[in-house]
């Protein structure tokens, strides 16, 4: 099947062997199989090596400030509910600088897909500890090793009742593609935390390390059982890969907004408004 989303003659600024290449292939293959028209698709990212990903897809994207990918993504979806909105960023950008937005985007339950490249290090700034770095991990800044407990994004998301939570790995191409397809098709906030090796600045959590420290969730697992999902999210060494939690009953943010309460999903920018109606609204505020 021809890949509809690859960009030709583009210079990719990732190190040879970077896990981001594998995630790029996974995302492009997932989009191709879903056959989403490019004009109906928007990527949003913040800052970081992973956040460069949308620049290497043949589609529209918005590149925001460090840690600020989620607010514009929610705004884009609210302004045009007909678009598929996908956020792609790294663990530092999403869980560090963007941690506050991450929490409240989950509460809001915007209909967006969030793919987080989790390499347990800040790669763009050359190797500081990120919120998901493991205890004992040494860097030029944390010379005695990380001593804080790492953030568990899947457990946090389930605790906040995110409507879709999954964990994937760049080294599991087929499984991760199916997870991302399910996330994109899900209605509501969908998190895919995907392990990805940084070959230049994290010599501990390598491709091999992620392979040896993960397993694919067994068949028959019920992702709608929240207590079991939370227990599953806390497993580590090995970490489970798959769809951890799904809540299909959580109201979606955009559907609760006034312009869409009558089930009319017409994008705001093409709606017609009479000047008299606007004046009536303004007069009620005076």
């Amino acid at each position: 099947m021809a890949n509809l989303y690859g960009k030709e003659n583009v210079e990719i600024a990732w190190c040879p062997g970077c896990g981001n290449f594998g995630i790029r292939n996974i995302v492009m293959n997932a989009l191709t199989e879903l056959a989403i028209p490019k004009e109906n698709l928007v990527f949003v990212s913040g800052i970081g090596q992973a956040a460069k990903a949308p620049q290497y897809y043949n589609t529209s994207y918005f590149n925001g400030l460090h840690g600020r990918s989620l607010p514009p993504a929610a705004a884009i979806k609210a302004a045009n509910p007909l678009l598929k909105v996908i956020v792609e960023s790294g663990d530092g950008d999403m869980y560090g600088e963007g941690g506050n937005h991450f929490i409240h985007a989950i509460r809001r339950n915007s209909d967006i897909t969030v793919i987080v490249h989790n390499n347990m290090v800040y790669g763009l700034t050359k190797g500081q500890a990120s919120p998901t770095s493991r205890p004992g991990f040494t860097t030029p800044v944390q010379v005695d090793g990380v001593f804080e407990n790492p953030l568990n994004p899947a457990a946090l998301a389930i605790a906040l009742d995110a409507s879709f939570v999954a964990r994937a790995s760049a080294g599991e191409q087929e499984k991760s593609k199916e997870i991302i397809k399910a996330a994109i098709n899900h209605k509501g906030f969908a998190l895919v935390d995907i392990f990805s090796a940084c070959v230049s600045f994290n010599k501990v959590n390598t491709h091999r390390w992620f392979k040896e420290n993960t397993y694919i969730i067994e068949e028959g697992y019920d992702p709608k059982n929240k207590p079991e999902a939370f227990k599953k999210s806390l497993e580590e060494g090995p970490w489970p890969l798959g769809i951890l939690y799904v809540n299909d009953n959580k109201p979606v943010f955009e559907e609760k907004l006034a312009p869409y309460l009558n089930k009319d999903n017409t994008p705001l920018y093409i709606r017609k408004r009479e000047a008299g109606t606007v004046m009536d609204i303004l007069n009620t505020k005076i």
Side-chain angles (χ1 to χ4, degrees):
M1 181 182 294
N3 196 305
L4 304 175
Y5 300 91
K7 246 181 184 175
E8 296 181 357
N9 302 319
V10 61
E11 183 178 355
I12 296 181
W14 292 330
C15 303
C18 175
N20 291 344
F21 287 102
I23 296 176
R24 178 173 176 265
N25 287 336
I26 292 167
V27 172
M28 289 195 301
N29 289 335
L31 292 172
T32 299
E33 291 188 12
L34 292 173
I36 301 172
K38 285 185 281 189
E39 60 271 24
N40 292 346
L41 180 65
V42 178
F43 274 83
V44 184
S45 65
I47 297 295
Q49 293 290 5
K52 294 176 182 175
Q55 300 172 33
Y56 309 140
Y57 300 132
N58 185 16
T59 185
S60 301
Y61 72 89
F62 179 90
N63 192 203
L65 300 174
H66 203 357
R68 305 294 183 265
S69 57
L70 292 175
I76 291 168
K77 185 68 182 181
N80 187 349
L82 302 181
L83 292 174
K84 281 287 185 184
V85 181
I86 301 176
V87 175
E88 196 162 348
S89 209
D91 49 292
D93 185 64
M94 183 61 64
Y95 306 139
E97 281 78 4
N100 178 51
H101 296 301
F102 179 69
I103 291 170
H104 296 289
I106 290 173
R107 292 179 53 242
R108 194 168 294 122
N109 199 34
S110 293
D111 185 17
I112 59 178
T113 303
V114 181
I115 301 170
V116 184
H117 302 212
N118 186 352
N119 58 16
M120 304 180 178
V121 73
Y122 279 92
L124 185 68
T125 49
K126 304 187 185 307
Q128 298 80 27
S130 83
T132 57
S133 294
R134 313 304 301 167
F137 180 65
T138 59
T139 78
V141 176
Q142 289 81 19
V143 295
D144 295 323
V146 171
F147 52 82
E148 298 99 340
N149 287 324
L151 178 76
N152 183 329
L156 175 60
I158 294 171
L160 292 168
D161 202 29
S163 60
F164 182 105
V165 181
R167 186 183 288 124
S169 175
E172 298 287 350
Q173 293 270 309
E174 284 301 312
K175 181 65 179 178
S176 297
K177 181 187 70 177
E178 295 306 317
I179 291 171
I180 287 176
K181 285 168 60 180
I184 293 172
N185 280 332
H186 175 77
K187 191 173 184 180
F189 185 95
L191 169 68
V192 180
D193 183 73
I194 181 165
F195 289 142
S196 171
C198 175
V199 297
S200 294
F201 301 108
N202 187 340
K203 303 296 187 183
V204 177
N205 308 111
T206 62
H207 292 292
R208 181 176 180 178
W209 187 92
F210 282 120
K211 186 71 176 178
E212 293 178 344
N213 286 276
T214 56
Y215 75 96
I216 294 175
I217 293 175
E218 60 277 4
E219 290 187 13
Y221 170 77
D222 180 11
K224 296 186 178 181
N225 185 327
K226 188 174 182 180
E228 289 301 316
F230 191 70
K231 286 171 59 179
K232 184 68 75 177
S233 72
L234 295 176
E235 292 182 13
E236 59 178 49
W239 278 263
L241 304 178
I243 299 171
L244 298 168
Y245 180 60
V246 175
N247 179 359
D248 290 323
N249 299 317
K250 190 170 182 178
V252 174
F253 175 70
E254 294 78 24
E255 293 181 350
K256 294 186 291 182
L257 296 177
Y260 309 117
L261 288 178
N262 61 358
K263 307 297 183 184
D264 180 0
N265 282 338
T266 304
L268 299 184
Y269 74 97
I270 58 176
R271 293 191 181 200
K272 293 182 180 179
R273 288 287 182 268
E274 295 180 0
T277 302
V278 176
M279 288 305 301
D280 290 343
I281 294 173
L282 292 175
N283 287 334
T284 65
K285 305 298 180 183
I286 295 175

